[in-house]
Amino acid sequence: MPSPAHASLIRADDDTVIELYPDRWKVVHAHNGALGRTVFDVGLGGEVVYAAEFASARKLPSGGLPEGAITQVVLGWSPALGAWQLGVLFTPDLAAQRGSRWLELARWHDPKAVVFGTEANRAGSALARVLRLPFRVIPPALGEADDAPAPVAKPLPALPQAFGDWLAEPHPDGVALVRLPTWARARVVRAAWYAVLLFAFTGVSVLSLTVELGLPTAGTLLPVPQLLPYLGLLVSVVLAWLMAKNLLALRAMPDRVLFSSAAREVVATRGELTLWRKPEAEVAGVYVSEVAHQRRDTRTFQYIELNLLLADNRFFTVLTSEAEHSVAVRAELPEVGVVMLTSDTQHTPAQAAALHAAQALGEVTCYLDVRRG
């Protein structure tokens, strides 16, 4: 069954499939292995649309939910049902109309509470992020589910984490992504070489136009030798542009990006100068893109990019790295596409750094965009 573009699917009981998007959360009923009609659709910021039969079965207003009707997202394990239940709580006014504050959206039969807890947590946290509401988890009490503890996600690798020409390191205010000095040195050396070549091409071209120099004889590759000085000047213009591009990058690109837990914002700086800032309220997700290929247990990266998915569905580039580097990764390179990234599925320093950054903003959802080099 093909997955919807940019969606991560989580299966629940009763042929229920939850579709997780960067800006949406959907409940879809599956039929014979294929996705059917959407019955509950939540947009970023809390816009809720549901099917008529869903509203009738659960005593919901036929005209839609009033603004602010949902107060909390709750995931709990029920000892009576032996299952995880994911749903939302309504305000007292709406609860009085329908006779209950609770609306169940998905259920996972799990008598020992050890199989589906991670997936249910993932679905619940994604719903809370889209609704921008608190997420409460009620795990099995001591003695329930054969005393089995609730599933615990694999911890993230500790910072610092180096990838390409960037270093993710802990900061008193959150997580800082710091550009390594080697990047600036490489730009200066490259600009210096362009300057040397610019001087050489410009000098030879000008001399060819002002002084009697012997030009090459005409041939198949160079039918008009008199054009050679002008071609040299054209190359000089390109070299001047490349030199300026590298020097301007030193001034325009940030050397540090701070994901602030206290201020709930992302701030990019160069030295003492603030280049831009994005408040957490504008951030819907963190995307890490990797262009790589894998051979045996070594993954080689040609390009890494970190972006913010904004609330208006635009992408905002935080950083890029073109420094080719390799790391030891035993896991196979995932298929090309966008998938949700968790601590259980991360395998590279850039992925770990992106997850740390997303958590610093308050558990913002993180996504991995895989491209093969």
Side-chain angles (χ1 to χ4, degrees), residues 1-166:
M1 178 179 63
S3 300
H6 293 274
S8 181
L9 305 185
I10 297 178
R11 292 189 173 275
D13 293 354
D14 302 322
D15 293 324
T16 297
V17 178
I18 298 172
E19 295 182 4
L20 306 183
Y21 295 84
D23 59 343
R24 306 203 75 78
W25 193 94
K26 295 184 178 183
V27 175
V28 179
H29 278 167
H31 181 67
N32 293 331
L35 293 182
R37 205 154 58 94
T38 300
V39 297
F40 193 83
D41 184 347
V42 182
L44 195 63
E47 179 187 1
V48 178
V49 178
Y50 41 75
E53 66 271 19
F54 184 87
S56 177
R58 290 162 175 79
K59 300 180 180 179
L60 297 175
S62 58
L65 294 179
E67 185 177 354
I70 300 175
T71 61
Q72 193 176 49
V73 178
V74 179
L75 171 68
W77 186 84
S78 167
L81 298 173
W84 292 97
Q85 294 177 278
L86 174 63
V88 296
L89 294 180
F90 290 126
T91 58
D93 290 343
L94 183 56
Q97 296 177 26
R98 58 189 300 270
S100 174
R101 291 192 65 191
W102 170 250
L103 172 65
E104 180 180 301
L105 297 174
R107 180 185 296 185
W108 292 264
H109 184 66
D110 191 2
K112 293 183 179 295
V114 295
V115 179
F116 295 110
T118 299
E119 287 290 88
N121 266 273
R122 187 172 151 220
S125 62
L127 176 59
R129 177 190 62 80
V130 173
L131 285 170
R132 293 179 178 168
L133 289 174
F135 178 40
R136 182 185 177 197
V137 178
I138 306 173
L142 187 63
E144 293 179 339
D146 296 332
D147 292 334
V152 178
K154 182 177 69 175
L156 276 175
L159 298 177
Q161 293 285 326
F163 57 97
D165 41 32
W166 287 87

